[in-house]
Amino acid sequence: MSRNVVKMEFMSLPENVALARVVVATMLAGMDCTLSDLDDVKVAVSEAVSNAILHGYQNRPHGRVYLMVAVDENGLEIVVEDYGRGIADVAQAMTPSFSTLPERMGLGFAFMQSLMDRLEVDSQVGRGTRVTLFKMAPALARAVQ
Ligand SMILES: Nc1ncnc2c1ncn2[C@@H]1O[C@H](COP(=O)(O)OP(=O)(O)OP(=O)(O)O)[C@@H](O)[C@H]1O
Ligand SMILES: [Mg+2]
């Protein structure tokens, strides 16, 4: 399978969560990937982009969200980056059920962690947050099981 890379930037509008989902799903269409893998990746990217909009920019629409998606025979890599508020304590933020908003469940990072093979979060207060997600190609994932 040949490599494909898409990089894009969009405004921090809630409707762009669906845009990010469609981009990733479209890029995976040619891969040997089950519907359940596809759903997992769509949920993970939605959680990352929602966090950028809701927490990074506190729902202000004029923030920039950067998305990079790369697929090749090894698997899928997704980067979601915002230039917003940042996270003071990343380990705490990644703890299941931790949220700074009382009405939220605090499960976004937990979902990303369990649905993908790797999750990395880099953040600096006042500068922004970069979330990197990786999922192995299904054939490789089967080989290591
Ligand atoms: N891009 C971001 N910028 C700033 N803070 C963030 C960002 N992403 C996550 N956080 C912080 O990490 C916490 C945990 O995020 P997580 O996605 O796990 O839960 P949540 O968004 O609060 O709730 P849920 O995802 O279940 O709706 C958030 O409450 C927020 O404080
Ligand atoms: Mg979240």
Side-chain angles (χ1 to χ4, degrees), residues 47-48 51-57 82 84-87 92-95 97-101 104-112 123 128-129 131:
E47 292 294 334
N51 279 353
I53 295 169
L54 179 65
H55 302 294
Y57 296 116
D82 70 67
R85 198 177 51 150
I87 303 173
Q92 181 188 48
M94 291 176 76
T95 306
S97 298
F98 174 87
S99 179
T100 44
L101 294 178
R104 312 296 300 192
M105 308 255 283
L107 291 178
F109 281 133
F111 281 137
M112 289 182 241
S123 190
T129 301
V131 173

Side-chain angles (χ1 to χ4, degrees), residues 34-57:
T34 64
L35 279 180
S36 125
D37 285 334
L38 188 59
D39 280 342
D40 290 354
V41 171
K42 282 158 76 179
V43 170
V45 77
S46 300
E47 292 294 334
V49 174
S50 300
N51 279 353
I53 295 169
L54 179 65
H55 302 294
Y57 296 116

